[in-house]
Amino acid sequence: MSEELLRLAEVFMAYHTQDPPVLDGVELAIGLGQTWGLSGPSGGGKSTLARVALGLERPQAGEVLFHGRSLAGLNRRERREFHRRVQVVWQDPYLYLPPQRSVQELIAEPLAVHRLETRDRRPGRVAELMELVGLVPAQALAKPHQLSGGQCQRAALARALACEPELLILDEALAGLDTINQARLVKLLRGICQREKLALLFIAHDPRLIRLLCRHEAVLAGGRLRLELG
Amino acid sequence: MSIMTLEDLWVDLPLPEGPRPLVRGVSFRLEAGQVLGLMGLSGAGKTLTACALSGLLPPPLRAARGRLRLNGHALDLSRAGAWRKARGSQVLLLFQGAGAALNPLMRVGPQIEEALIAGPGLPRRQARERAAQALERFGLGARAARSHPHQLSGGMRRRVLLALAWALRPRVLIADEPTNGLDAASRDEMSQMFSQLTQELGAGLILISHDLRGLASWADHLAVMDQGEVVEQGPTAALLARPEHALTHSLVESLAFLEGAHV
């Protein structure tokens, strides 16, 4: 077992008191560099689990531990660092990428926010990241609405990777894409995970996509998480 | 015998510098009971082709050329007026996202009734009976019929559209990304319901999708579109085994990779 990166411990979430809980005592430990696939029926709480793991929602019971420390106990600086090291790409990039920013601005923003390169080296880093995800220099000035779904998803991925994360959460991030773009992005992500020791939590309906990307699998149904031993 | 033949369809976007063609010379035929997959990346012109077939091109787009043979009638698609009389409700387009296709302000039962009165011209009482029958056929009872679309789940809304199709009995059914966003089990259920429906109606089904995996297992024939043109078409198995166009090639390669054939 590799060193533990993120752990959901006995996490409980219910949106309404009279409804059955969405997460009912969920237990999941993601080790450094581990790739996890998460599937389960629609409305089964997969995205809620993602939001809890990202610290965007506080569990009603249980806790989330990052390198063994509870998120609730992090100070401002540590919390900022956590939000850099755990990144997410959601299903629909048009819904959350700032529409007025160009591709290069979208990718440069996290570099500036987290002071990741010196100011004069940032344009070079942006170009590297664009190349890594397969965007061409001519697209640097395009804004999200001028890109296709696949291109926009690449920009979202580059923006997440700019943070040099330890864990990348993909919530149905390949679902709306055409066959060619899906295959390209799976290959790209496999390469990155191997090279950079990046851990993955890949949420998807499609078990075949999960098997292409992940070594570990879990299924969330009825609020319970079941680990598949593969 | 073909129930529908489309020949040389052109769709133009009129611009000050002259019309820009978005669909360029598309032709295909459809047999009764056949499932034709219209495949292509986004922006290839798949949905525009479907809109032109069902007379629903959003202005200012217009069909500049195109002949449609349907049930023995010949139609010139560039003449907008020719439409309503000859077509009736024989070509039915079900849009991606059942939410968008239904009127949010109307209960679903009356929506189907209205379509039966406006299309085939049934008297109201008969329309009401057929609408109730149709909803029941897809497992939706009186309570669902009295609901507004937003009160139903996504799956139920999709079934309302199937019920609408069943009630209208079109010759050609076009479904635009009918399984987008569904999990595997619902996807199989949906494709089964569609297959049964087209069998029962003796209709042809045109499926529009950018997901070759869904189409490969469902469609008998495939037509691959790129930049407004059909670049390759044929029986699914043959086309996948021997792709000729570069786009079909990379689609088939990507499919093989995703299926785990060449990992």
Side-chain angles (χ1 to χ4, degrees):
Chain A
M1 172 79 195
S2 53
E3 191 194 328
E4 185 178 291
L5 173 62
L6 189 85
R7 178 189 191 85
L8 274 64
E10 291 294 317
V11 164
F12 180 94
M13 286 288 284
Y15 284 109
H16 299 287
T17 41
Q18 66 272 38
D19 288 351
V22 185
L23 303 177
D24 190 1
V26 165
E27 190 73 46
L28 175 68
I30 300 175
L32 279 177
Q34 274 185 350
T35 47
W36 278 88
L38 176 64
S39 58
S42 307
K46 301 187 296 295
S47 295
T48 303
L49 189 151
R51 284 200 300 276
V52 169
L54 285 159
L56 298 178
E57 241 168 300
R58 189 183 283 226
Q60 286 149 348
E63 57 182 351
V64 179
L65 301 157
F66 183 60
H67 287 285
R69 296 191 50 203
S70 171
L71 290 191
L74 300 183
N75 66 29
R76 237 182 111 103
R77 195 181 52 78
E78 291 164 333
R79 213 176 156 78
R80 207 180 153 89
E81 187 61 11
F82 164 77
H83 284 309
R84 175 180 75 74
R85 294 205 266 174
V86 180
Q87 284 293 313
V88 64
V89 176
W90 303 104
Q91 174 167 6
D92 186 348
Y94 301 104
L95 282 181
Y96 71 98
L97 290 180
Q100 74 280 23
R101 296 232 210 296
S102 65
V103 167
Q104 65 180 23
E105 287 167 341
L106 287 170
I107 303 172
E109 189 176 51
L111 296 176
V113 167
H114 294 293
R115 303 200 184 94
L116 282 172
E117 297 274 353
T118 56
R119 190 182 290 249
D120 51 324
R121 290 198 47 202
R122 280 180 200 148
R125 180 70 184 137
V126 169
E128 267 173 41
L129 284 160
M130 282 184 63
E131 198 188 332
L132 176 70
V133 299
L135 288 169
V136 297
Q139 287 158 339
L141 295 177
K143 297 180 176 167
H145 71 94
Q146 296 166 318
L147 299 172
S148 72
Q151 291 164 346
C152 205
Q153 203 59 299
R154 283 156 199 270
L157 181 62
R159 181 171 154 100
L161 293 174
C163 298
E164 297 168 26
E166 289 180 302
L167 171 64
L168 180 61
I169 298 179
L170 302 170
D171 188 358
E172 293 285 4
L174 305 182
L177 301 179
D178 61 68
T179 310
I180 291 179
N181 266 307
Q182 266 190 0
R184 280 187 191 147
L185 281 178
V186 167
K187 287 180 193 167
L188 175 71
L189 282 164
R190 276 217 299 214
I192 294 171
C193 288
Q194 275 158 15
R195 272 198 315 276
E196 321 272 331
K197 289 269 171 262
L198 176 67
L200 211 60
L201 177 61
F202 178 53
I203 300 174
H205 273 128
D206 187 337
R208 288 172 295 189
L209 280 181
I210 287 184
R211 268 165 231 143
L212 283 171
L213 266 175
C214 305
R215 290 197 53 184
H216 307 271
E217 280 184 64
V219 178
L220 185 65
R224 295 284 181 165
L225 192 71
R226 191 176 75 239
L227 305 188
E228 305 276 298
L229 302 170
Chain B
M1 200 201 91
S2 304
I3 49 173
M4 191 200 87
T5 318
L6 174 67
E7 278 171 62
D8 200 27
L9 171 70
W10 289 72
V11 175
D12 281 354
L13 172 65
L15 291 173
E17 62 267 28
R20 179 194 297 169
L22 301 180
V23 172
R24 302 182 295 164
V26 165
S27 305
F28 51 73
R29 60 197 310 152
L30 188 67
E31 318 286 329
Q34 191 186 51
V35 182
L36 170 72
L38 202 53
M39 167 77 210
L41 308 185
S42 41
K46 308 182 294 288
T47 300
L48 287 183
T49 301
C51 287
L53 276 177
S54 45
L56 292 174
L57 278 174
L61 296 177
R62 48 180 226 97
R65 237 194 290 170
R67 281 180 306 280
L68 183 68
R69 225 174 265 282
L70 188 69
N71 246 2
H73 297 279
L75 263 170
D76 182 351
L77 292 183
S78 63
R79 288 183 32 230
W83 259 114
R84 275 198 195 116
K85 264 186 289 160
R87 180 180 55 106
S89 45
Q90 297 197 30
V91 182
L92 183 66
L93 171 59
L94 301 180
F95 276 107
Q96 157 174 194
L102 295 167
N103 180 346
L105 300 179
M106 238 179 134
R107 298 170 198 277
V108 299
Q111 285 195 51
I112 297 179
E113 254 172 76
E114 190 191 45
L116 288 168
I117 294 166
L122 293 192
R124 177 162 296 277
R125 175 182 299 180
Q126 237 175 308
R128 181 167 305 159
E129 276 166 21
R130 172 116 58 111
Q133 237 179 344
L135 287 167
E136 204 162 301
R137 163 77 179 66
F138 290 91
L140 300 164
R143 186 168 159 204
R146 281 195 307 272
S147 303
H148 286 91
H150 75 269
Q151 295 170 306
L152 302 174
S153 73
M156 288 166 94
R157 281 199 293 264
R158 284 171 207 256
R159 280 187 274 152
V160 170
L161 287 188
L162 289 170
L164 176 69
W166 185 86
L168 283 172
R169 310 197 185 293
R171 300 292 309 175
V172 178
L173 194 59
I174 310 178
D176 194 351
E177 299 284 4
T179 59
N180 230 3
L182 294 181
D183 58 42
S186 332
R187 221 168 23 226
D188 292 346
E189 190 191 355
M190 188 58 62
S191 66
Q192 245 169 29
M193 284 198 288
F194 262 107
S195 303
Q196 275 170 13
L197 175 64
T198 40
Q199 289 300 329
E200 205 175 321
L201 300 178
L205 175 63
I206 300 178
L207 280 176
I208 298 180
S209 179
H210 61 221
D211 177 19
L212 182 56
R213 277 194 293 175
L215 287 183
S217 56
W218 190 356
D220 316 309
H221 267 65
L222 285 179
V224 180
M225 286 192 74
D226 186 26
Q227 294 176 39
E229 288 180 84
V230 171
V231 294
E232 195 168 355
Q233 59 180 316
T236 304
L239 194 112
L240 294 181
R242 288 177 298 280
E244 278 171 13
H245 190 266
L247 175 68
T248 323
H249 240 288
S250 60
L251 280 166
V252 170
E253 254 171 39
S254 302
L255 178 69
F257 170 75
L258 292 171
E259 297 286 358
H262 306 291
V263 183

